[in-house]
Amino acid sequence: MHYLMFSHCESGIDVIFINGENGWRNAYGYLPGELYYNIPFFLAMSVLYAVVVLVWWGLVLYFRSDGVLSVHDHIGLVALLALCEVVLWFLYYQAYNNTGLRDTGLLTTAVISSCIKRTSTRILILVVCMGYGVVRPTLGDSTMKVMVFGGLYCVFTTVLDVVKALSHEDDISRVLSIPVMVLDSIFYCWAFVSLRGVFAQLAEHKETMKLNLYRKFLAVVAVCLLLSLAWVLFQMYFLWSHSEGEHYRIESNEGAQLPLELWQYLWVFDAYWDVQSFVILLTIMVLWKPSSFFIFYGAVNVHEMGPYDVIGPA
């Protein structure tokens, strides 16, 4: 926090006009203190995603001759989008720190990349919950529904996040957040209903291996949801316990407000959701990793398949 003060010793002067410019720079650069920790955070996330992407595509290429499933390419694409997102955010904060100016073009690009990655992640989770690549060879009639949902979600989240990043009109942000919340609710309901159907089909056909695979996936998703709920409750308690007597507050990208004296913790409120997204993607990559054995998950049973029939080893 910086304070700019002027004083004069001339008595009898009521008004003083001062003309000029002033610049502020911390020891590490121009970036505001509450945003500084985003630089090492996104740098670390960039390294993690780069390693994950290299390992994943290396496995895809190595086992390509054994019959890699199309879902593996989709997972790799989501990982690449996530890598682009964290790299763009790192470049934005680094440029801001070096010049003291917010690069609107780079900021907009980073926001749009975040929305595209968030949409692709939701689509990936949705098709995995629907059994694509393991329980079903194709999505069938659901393909168009998933594409329409992804398009609507990408458009609405992009508009909302761009407005929040470039404007301070809270009323507009609240209105734009309504369709996003509705689409998020549809996503969660659709995913869990689809996952329930997959469990029922696998249990009915006694597909033990696939059932164990989806049980592990469900366990990780459930833990992430519980941790998210706990994190939101912790935020509410933390903000409430530090709300008395504070008149100056700072706000994170996600809207969390903290007393000015707690500026060094602001980045954590946003970072948690990036870490959770990485954990969920990493879980899918570990459970669905390419191998000479995994191809048996995609082998079709000899019985005639309906729209929700289970795929089992031939």
Side-chain angles (χ1 to χ4, degrees), residues 108-128:
T108 304
T109 304
V111 170
I112 293 175
S113 70
S114 294
C115 296
I116 295 175
K117 190 271 293 187
R118 197 183 317 159
T119 301
S120 62
T121 301
R122 276 163 170 71
I123 292 177
L124 175 62
I125 294 174
L126 188 58
V127 298
V128 165

Side-chain angles (χ1 to χ4, degrees), residues 60-265:
V60 169
L61 294 175
Y62 183 80
F63 291 103
R64 179 71 69 180
S65 59
D66 293 332
V68 172
L69 304 177
S70 57
V71 69
H72 290 131
D73 294 329
H74 295 173
I75 294 173
L77 178 60
V78 173
L80 279 174
L81 291 173
L83 174 61
C84 292
E85 177 203 12
V86 293
V87 169
L88 284 171
W89 279 114
F90 169 74
L91 293 176
Y92 165 72
Y93 285 116
Q94 188 67 48
Y96 191 176
N97 188 53
N98 292 336
T99 64
L101 301 174
R102 298 179 65 188
D103 189 329
T104 304
L106 189 55
L107 174 60
T108 304
T109 304
V111 170
I112 293 175
S113 70
S114 294
C115 296
I116 295 175
K117 190 271 293 187
R118 197 183 317 159
T119 301
S120 62
T121 301
R122 276 163 170 71
I123 292 177
L124 175 62
I125 294 174
L126 188 58
V127 298
V128 165
C129 290
M130 296 171 72
Y132 176 60
V134 174
V135 180
R136 305 171 62 180
T138 66
L139 296 179
D141 295 338
S142 299
T143 302
M144 184 57 65
K145 298 177 183 178
V146 173
M147 292 178 62
V148 170
F149 170 81
L152 290 175
Y153 190 86
C154 187
V155 169
F156 281 113
T157 53
T158 299
V159 173
L160 173 61
D161 288 359
V162 169
V163 169
K164 288 171 62 177
L166 303 180
S167 173
H168 298 284
E169 297 293 336
D170 293 334
D171 294 337
I172 298 177
S173 298
R174 292 190 186 98
V175 173
L176 293 174
S177 65
I178 294 175
V180 176
M181 290 188 292
V182 172
L183 290 171
D184 272 327
S185 301
I186 294 174
F187 162 73
Y188 289 117
C189 292
W190 195 357
F192 278 101
V193 169
S194 299
L195 198 58
R196 181 181 178 183
V198 167
F199 270 90
Q201 290 288 334
L202 292 176
E204 181 182 352
H205 290 82
K206 295 183 170 62
E207 297 281 354
T208 306
M209 289 191 304
K210 299 176 184 179
L211 194 57
N212 290 334
L213 176 70
Y214 271 90
R215 280 174 177 165
K216 294 175 183 179
F217 174 67
L218 179 60
V220 173
V221 172
V223 169
C224 288
L225 288 176
L226 290 175
L227 290 176
S228 298
L229 178 60
W231 183 249
V232 171
L233 294 175
F234 169 74
Q235 281 184 311
M236 295 172 61
Y237 170 77
F238 188 82
L239 298 177
W240 172 79
S241 63
H242 293 83
S243 62
E244 297 182 0
E246 297 293 344
H247 302 289
Y248 300 97
R249 309 181 72 79
I250 49 178
E251 184 172 342
S252 71
N253 294 330
E254 298 296 330
Q257 292 188 348
L258 283 177
L260 196 58
E261 63 183 21
L262 300 176
W263 58 269
Q264 66 269 34
Y265 302 111

Side-chain angles (χ1 to χ4, degrees), residues 22-81:
N22 64 84
W24 305 91
R25 190 181 188 280
N26 293 301
Y28 53 79
Y30 290 101
L31 197 65
E34 68 272 14
L35 299 177
Y36 172 72
Y37 291 105
N38 285 307
I39 294 179
F41 171 73
F42 282 110
L43 177 60
M45 294 301 296
S46 298
V47 173
L48 287 175
Y49 272 115
V51 172
V52 166
V53 167
L54 289 174
V55 172
W56 181 263
W57 282 107
L59 290 173
V60 169
L61 294 175
Y62 183 80
F63 291 103
R64 179 71 69 180
S65 59
D66 293 332
V68 172
L69 304 177
S70 57
V71 69
H72 290 131
D73 294 329
H74 295 173
I75 294 173
L77 178 60
V78 173
L80 279 174
L81 291 173

Side-chain angles (χ1 to χ4, degrees), residues 9-25:
C9 301
E10 296 292 336
S11 60
I13 299 178
D14 296 329
V15 179
I16 295 179
F17 294 97
I18 300 177
N19 184 25
E21 296 180 358
N22 64 84
W24 305 91
R25 190 181 188 280

